[in-house]
């Protein structure tokens, strides 16, 4: 146990855990933003990241410059996001949360199986950015460049998003729709525009995550980012889906804890890391079903 | 009139299953496999329906109960002399016990049911998204433990030497048994109370129905039936831990939703419809001649079509193919409406 604690407070482990938490937080924002505006849990979010990663791999296969690869990644993810919103999310807007969740489940498997058909189970490799995996030494700790990039990028993205939500009229509309979409629509907020913008922002974040994840895991397979998405979904619910901030914190937390446990668990038990994480998720949900970072409300909805 | 209508609600799905079983006897050996698979799917989907359909709460965790059923029946029915080769680290009591076909199915069901009861005790307090994620977490934990804990099974290896006793007859009988159990439950006092909580939680509570207890009972029964279906499956085909994870969870939920999640008839129709679609596509992947045209789909296109169909059904008919209603003859339905 003491060994576990010593490893857990180890600076190296801490830095890596925060880096992982930053990436997870970005995914949490993407999922939480769409949920806020549309009340839709997007299980297919991971497959957007996967598609972006394949775009990067495709570009790196052809030795295209890094910038072109990243542009292609953004283009693919944004087009897919818009298509998803138009074809699946919008017609289902009036349905229950359960129906929408299962529909995104179907979309997730659709995209995954298309990737399987196209690229095969072994996938492709995206190598154009791997030099970011090299460490730099800061204060005796080896920090991979990508960890720094991830933390800075996440912070910048979050600040931009906060500015957009608080300083622009579309941001105002999005916040209004998130609080009460019926009333917002009555007052002239255009539901389609709001949901399109939120899906686009979520898509842009997915593309950013795709770039950062391919640096760390250059082998892109059809199940790329699947495990991460499941964890982030759990984290978002654990944090509290009703507010973007609590969802983001939940995403960061599960990434951080995942990194911490991964670094501190003895190797004989590290294969059970998912069990520890999911066990924690269940525990937190039992104690705080509405979320860890939300204000406690009444247990039963009043009629 | 009412008794006849209710009898039809049981007889129609059962007859459909028996018809599928009979159809399976007249086709070639190679095609028979599709029918057995379809019948086991019926058992699995109806097991899921017992909870999801009656409670109106999503569960992503039911394949855990199916999986422990697979493990229980598989580990216990592999012949004793074969066990050390594939499962060298097994607990002594598991490696020294071997049971026959029927007992192993029963044990699979009991293990599934007890596991569901234990999981449900805390989890059934949750609802909505929290319940969905928590059941998902159970699936993740179950899969993780079955994958690496080699004292209770083959770990990452495929089950081998499990007696292949699930033929067309056993699959048909199994599916009918599950349907009868689901029907008996939904007509019982417990089932009706649970359906009341689905339609209007506040009103159900007001008349003294405990949502927690009703959901727990359905969850345990549902786990029992899912464990049984898992037992049927491992006696049919050798599988490993990857076969009882996300893909199976998806396809089972897809079948239920495509058929119509709130009726037994919908569960059976959905399972058979998707199985039929899946089988035809599987044949097309191998190259099939139909109506003078040869179809040769690339392998892996099955799941593309199935998930596209699922999304389409959800968009066009959110209630599923049957609209979530029980089977009724058109004439009878009209009479009831009067």
């Amino acid at each position: 146990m003491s060994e576990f604690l010593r490893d857990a407070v180890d600076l190296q482990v801490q830095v890596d855990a925060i880096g992982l938490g930053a990436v997870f937080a970005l995914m949490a924002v993407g999922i939480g933003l769409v949920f806020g505006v549309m009340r839709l849990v997007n299980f297919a979010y991971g497959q957007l990241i996967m598609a972006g990663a394949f775009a990067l791999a495709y570009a790196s296969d052809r030795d295209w410059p890094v910038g072109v690869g990243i542009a292609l990644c953004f283009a693919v993810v944004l087009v897919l996001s818009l298509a998803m919103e138009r074809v699946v999310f919008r017609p289902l807007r009036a349905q229950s949360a359960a129906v929408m969740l299962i529909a995104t489940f179907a979309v997730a498997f659709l995209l995954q199986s298309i990737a399987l058909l196209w690229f095969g189970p072994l996938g492709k490799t995206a190598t154009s950015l791997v030099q970011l995996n090299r460490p730099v030494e800061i204060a005796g700790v080896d920090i991979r460049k990508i960890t720094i990039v991830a933390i800075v990028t996440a912070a910048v993205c979050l600040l931009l998003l906060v500015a957009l939500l608080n300083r622009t009229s579309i941001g105002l509309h999005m916040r209004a729709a998130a609080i009460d979409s019926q009333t917002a629509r009555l007052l002239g907020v255009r539901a389609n525009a709001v949901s399109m913008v939120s899906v686009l922002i979520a898509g842009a974040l997915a593309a950013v995550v795709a770039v950062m994840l391919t640096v760390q895991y250059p082998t892109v397979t059809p199940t790329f980012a699947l495990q991460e998405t499941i964890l982030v979904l759990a984290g978002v619910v654990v944090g509290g889906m009703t507010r973007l901030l609590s969802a983001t914190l939940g995403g960061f937390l599960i990434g951080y804890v995942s990194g911490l446990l991964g670094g501190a668990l003895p190797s004989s038990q590290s294969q059970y890391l998912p069990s520890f994480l999911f066990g924690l998720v269940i525990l937190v949900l039992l104690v705080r079903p509405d979320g860890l970072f939300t204000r406690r409300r009444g247990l039963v909805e009043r009629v | 009139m009412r008794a006849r209508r209710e009898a039809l609600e049981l007889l129609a799905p059962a007859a459909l299953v028996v018809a599928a079983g009979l159809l399976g006897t007249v086709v070639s050996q190679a095609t028979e496999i599709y029918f057995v698979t379809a019948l086991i799917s019926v058992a699995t989907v109806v097991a899921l329906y017992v909870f999801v359909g009656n409670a109106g709460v999503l569960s992503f965790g039911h394949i855990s109960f199916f999986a422990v059923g697979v493990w229980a029946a598989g580990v216990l029915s592999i012949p004793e002399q074969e066990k050390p080769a594939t499962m060298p680290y097994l607990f002594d009591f598991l490696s020294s016990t071997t049971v026959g076909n029927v007992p192993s199915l029963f044990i699979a069901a009991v293990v599934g049911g007890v596991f569901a009861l234990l999981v449900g005790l805390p989890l059934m307090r949750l609802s909505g998204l929290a319940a969905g994620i928590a059941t998902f977490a159970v699936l993740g934990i179950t899969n993780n433990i079955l994958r690496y804990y080699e004292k209770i099974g083959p770990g990452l290896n495929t089950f081998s030497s499990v007696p292949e006793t699930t033929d067309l007859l056993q699959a048909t009988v199994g599916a009918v048994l599950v349907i009868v159990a689901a029907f008996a439950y939904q007509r019982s006092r417990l089932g009706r109370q649970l359906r009341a909580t689905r339609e209007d939680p506040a009103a159900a509570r007001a008349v003294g129905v405990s949502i927690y207890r009703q959901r727990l009972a359905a969850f345990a029964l549902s786990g029992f039936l899912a464990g049984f279906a898992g037992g049927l499956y491992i006696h049919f085909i050798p599988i490993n831990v990857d076969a009882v994870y996300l893909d199976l969870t998806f396809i089972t939920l897809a079948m239920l939703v495509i058929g119509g999640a709130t009726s037994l008839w919908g569960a059976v129709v959905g399972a058979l419809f998707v199985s039929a679609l899946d089988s035809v596509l599987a044949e097309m992947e191998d190259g099939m001649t139909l109506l003078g045209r040869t179809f040769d789909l690339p392998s892996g296109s099955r799941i593309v079509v199935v998930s596209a169909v699922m999304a389409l059904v959800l968009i066009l008919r959110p209630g599923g193919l049957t609209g979530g209603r029980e089977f009724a003859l058109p004439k009878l339905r009209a009479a009831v409406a009067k």
Side-chain angles (χ1 to χ4, degrees):
Chain A
M1 194 63 203
S2 62
E3 205 170 316
F4 176 87
L5 282 178
R6 201 192 61 217
D7 286 342
V9 296
D10 182 77
L11 263 183
Q12 185 79 57
V13 173
Q14 286 290 331
V15 170
D16 287 344
I18 292 173
L20 194 60
V23 175
F24 277 32
L26 282 185
M27 294 171 69
V29 174
I31 291 171
L33 195 64
V34 171
F35 179 83
V37 173
M38 291 192 252
R39 291 290 175 266
L40 174 139
V41 182
N42 189 3
F43 191 84
Y45 197 66
Q47 279 67 31
L48 288 177
I49 299 171
M50 179 268 291
F54 268 116
L56 288 167
Y58 188 88
S60 116
D61 243 21
R62 275 157 193 71
D63 286 326
W64 292 350
V66 179
V68 176
I70 293 178
L72 183 68
C73 166
F74 270 82
V76 166
V77 178
L78 290 179
V79 167
L80 262 181
S81 307
L82 275 184
M84 230 191 249
E85 197 267 342
R86 193 68 197 82
V87 180
V88 185
F89 297 175
R90 206 179 282 186
L92 287 175
R93 196 151 54 195
Q95 299 300 326
S96 69
V99 169
M100 291 198 288
L101 177 59
I102 297 198
T104 66
F105 222 54
V107 173
F109 272 80
L110 183 63
L111 292 177
Q112 190 178 315
S113 49
I114 290 174
L116 192 64
L117 264 182
W118 202 338
F119 302 104
L122 298 178
K124 287 168 154 294
T125 45
T127 48
S128 40
L129 280 167
V130 280
Q131 73 276 10
L132 281 177
N133 267 325
R134 290 212 201 97
V136 282
E137 203 187 294
I138 299 172
V141 183
D142 282 340
I143 301 176
R144 288 181 303 162
K145 283 182 194 156
I146 182 63
T147 311
I148 303 168
V149 173
I151 295 172
V152 173
T153 316
V156 170
C157 287
L158 290 181
L159 285 176
L160 282 177
L161 181 66
V162 169
L164 179 95
L165 285 176
N166 289 323
R167 306 273 158 170
T168 66
S169 66
I170 188 74
L172 180 70
H173 290 177
M174 287 169 71
R175 282 185 295 137
I179 291 170
D180 185 343
S181 69
Q182 289 273 321
T183 314
R185 288 182 77 173
L186 284 174
L187 293 172
V189 169
R190 285 183 304 154
N192 287 346
V194 163
S195 71
M196 246 170 63
V197 171
S198 65
V199 162
L200 278 179
I201 297 173
L205 291 173
V208 171
V209 172
V211 174
M212 291 192 296
L213 279 183
T214 44
V215 174
Q216 300 179 56
Y217 314 103
T219 310
V220 184
T221 63
T223 54
F224 188 82
L226 180 65
Q227 194 66 36
E228 285 84 356
T229 311
I230 292 175
L231 282 179
V232 171
L233 275 173
V236 160
V237 175
V238 160
M241 284 224 93
T242 46
R243 289 191 311 157
L244 193 55
L245 179 67
S246 55
T248 312
L249 283 177
F252 174 82
L253 188 71
I254 200 155
Y256 177 74
V257 171
S258 166
L260 215 60
L261 282 177
L265 277 181
S267 55
S268 64
Q269 282 167 23
S270 62
Q271 63 201 21
Y272 293 115
L273 172 66
S275 291
F276 285 106
L277 278 177
F278 285 130
L280 281 176
V281 165
I282 292 177
L283 271 182
V284 174
L285 286 177
L286 287 175
V287 183
R288 297 292 301 263
D290 286 332
L292 207 51
F293 306 115
T294 51
R295 268 172 249 120
R296 199 181 280 265
R297 275 183 302 166
L299 277 178
V300 185
E301 195 182 320
R302 309 216 181 270
V303 180
Chain B
M1 201 61 166
R2 186 169 161 216
R4 235 177 87 191
R5 198 181 76 231
E6 290 190 344
L8 266 180
E9 288 176 9
L10 172 64
L11 286 179
L16 197 58
V17 163
V18 173
L22 286 176
L23 194 58
T25 58
V26 297
V27 298
S28 68
Q29 196 96 44
T31 319
E32 197 185 309
I33 292 174
Y34 294 125
F35 283 86
V36 181
T37 313
L39 291 165
I40 298 172
S41 301
V42 169
T44 316
V45 175
V46 171
L48 178 68
Y49 156 76
V50 166
F51 178 74
V52 173
N54 290 313
V57 177
L58 271 185
S59 164
F60 293 103
H62 264 67
I63 294 307
S64 340
F65 314 132
F66 185 92
V68 296
V70 165
W71 249 243
V75 168
L76 286 176
S77 55
I78 293 176
E80 221 169 305
Q81 63 274 19
E82 309 269 356
K83 283 185 187 179
T86 47
M87 304 179 289
Y89 308 104
L90 221 52
F91 279 119
D92 281 344
F93 74 96
L94 287 175
S95 60
S96 60
T97 319
T98 303
V99 298
N101 170 41
V102 174
S104 77
L105 292 177
F106 182 70
I107 293 171
V110 170
V111 172
V114 170
F115 184 39
L117 181 69
L118 292 177
V119 166
L121 274 174
L123 255 54
M124 287 301 108
R125 298 192 180 280
L126 301 173
S127 61
L129 275 177
I133 292 295
T135 50
F136 210 113
V138 170
L139 180 68
I141 294 176
T142 310
N143 185 270
N144 186 233
I145 289 176
L146 293 182
R147 185 179 297 265
Y148 294 114
Y149 196 48
E150 294 187 321
K151 288 186 176 177
I152 54 168
L156 268 170
N157 295 324
T158 302
F159 270 101
S160 53
S161 328
V162 180
E164 292 176 8
T165 44
T166 299
D167 51 7
L168 208 49
L169 177 68
Q170 176 155 312
T172 311
V173 173
V176 170
L177 281 179
V178 174
I179 289 175
V180 170
F183 180 73
Y185 169 74
Q186 76 183 28
R187 268 178 50 100
S188 73
R189 192 182 155 77
L190 292 176
R192 288 184 198 279
Q193 289 188 9
L194 183 62
R195 291 167 88 85
T197 70
R198 178 190 76 193
E199 297 304 327
D200 191 335
R205 288 170 70 98
V207 295
V209 176
S210 159
I211 296 181
Y212 170 70
R213 277 197 212 149
Q214 295 310 329
R215 283 188 184 163
L216 184 60
F219 200 66
L221 175 64
S222 185
F224 181 86
L225 297 175
F228 176 71
L232 286 176
Y233 198 40
I234 191 62
H235 279 296
F236 167 58
I237 210 166
I239 51 171
N240 73 353
V241 67
D242 285 325
V244 289
Y245 194 33
L246 291 177
D247 290 18
L248 189 63
T249 302
F250 166 68
I251 202 88
T252 312
L253 273 171
M255 287 172 171
L256 184 60
V257 171
I258 287 175
T262 50
S263 71
L264 180 56
W265 176 237
V268 174
V269 168
L272 289 177
F273 173 77
V274 175
S275 298
L277 181 69
D278 196 44
S279 311
V280 171
L281 292 168
E283 280 294 293
M284 285 183 176
E285 284 180 4
D286 293 342
M288 182 177 84
T289 312
L290 188 74
L291 306 172
R293 287 182 60 184
T294 306
F295 293 89
D296 197 359
L297 299 176
S299 83
S301 36
R302 290 154 72 178
I303 197 97
V304 175
V305 177
V306 170
S307 37
V309 166
M310 181 170 170
L312 266 181
V313 168
L314 283 170
I315 293 168
L316 301 176
R317 270 188 84 106
L321 294 175
T322 65
R325 279 189 293 270
E326 291 298 350
F327 178 81
L329 295 173
K331 204 173 61 190
L332 283 176
R333 198 185 284 162
V336 171
K338 278 177 206 160

